[in-house]
């Protein structure tokens, strides 16, 4: 069985982009306990600004954001220099097949 120690990624940077403060906090706690350096933001626009300042090693992106749809945010991030190789994990409702398909199509 995997423990959080098995998932330790000391020093790597993750950007969590989610509208809900509770979700951002829970994900930050989870990733920080595994050694990640975590930055959290609530909008796509702020995510793009933060990425321009500091390139993350991984992005966790909510598909539904208050300002820019998650899929479009991902496309804008992918267009930024050096961001094509950074993995993006989308968060979405488990039964929302259309959003999942759009996320894959977006990059």
């Amino acid at each position: 069985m995997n423990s959080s120690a098995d998932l330790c990624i000391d020093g790597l940077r993750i950007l969590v982009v989610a509208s809900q403060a509770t979700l951002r906090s829970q994900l930050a706690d989870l990733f920080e306990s595994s050694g990640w350096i975590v930055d959290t933001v609530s909008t796509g626009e702020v995510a793009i600004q933060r990425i321009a300042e500091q390139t993350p090693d991984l992005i966790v992106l909510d598909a539904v954001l208050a300002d820019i749809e998650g899929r479009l945010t991902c496309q804008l991030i992918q267009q930024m220099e050096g961001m094509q190789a950074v993995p993006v994990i989308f968060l979405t409702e488990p039964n929302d097949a259309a959003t999942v398909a759009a996320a894959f199509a977006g990059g």
Side-chain angles (χ1 to χ4, degrees), residues 77-104:
I77 290 169
Q78 294 292 311
Q79 293 172 7
M80 297 173 73
E81 185 175 336
M83 291 304 299
Q84 296 77 23
V86 176
V88 177
I89 298 173
F90 269 94
L91 301 176
T92 187
E93 293 293 324
N95 295 327
D96 188 356
T99 300
V100 172
F104 276 109

Side-chain angles (χ1 to χ4, degrees), residues 3-104:
S3 68
S4 63
D6 294 329
L7 303 173
C8 189
I9 312 287
D10 285 329
L12 292 180
R13 187 170 299 278
I14 187 168
L15 177 64
V16 175
V17 186
S19 296
Q20 296 178 344
T22 303
L23 179 59
R24 288 192 311 273
S25 177
Q26 290 172 339
L27 289 171
D29 290 347
L30 173 71
F31 290 119
E32 286 171 347
S33 72
S34 296
W36 289 88
I37 298 168
V38 180
D39 195 9
T40 64
V41 299
S42 61
T43 67
E45 182 178 337
V46 176
I48 290 166
Q49 292 170 355
R50 199 65 54 90
I51 291 166
E53 297 166 5
Q54 176 73 49
T55 302
D57 297 293
L58 174 68
I59 299 169
V60 175
L61 177 61
D62 194 348
V64 179
L65 298 172
D67 63 342
I68 306 171
E69 180 182 278
R71 181 182 51 83
L72 179 56
T73 299
C74 183
Q75 289 173 340
L76 294 170
I77 290 169
Q78 294 292 311
Q79 293 172 7
M80 297 173 73
E81 185 175 336
M83 291 304 299
Q84 296 77 23
V86 176
V88 177
I89 298 173
F90 269 94
L91 301 176
T92 187
E93 293 293 324
N95 295 327
D96 188 356
T99 300
V100 172
F104 276 109

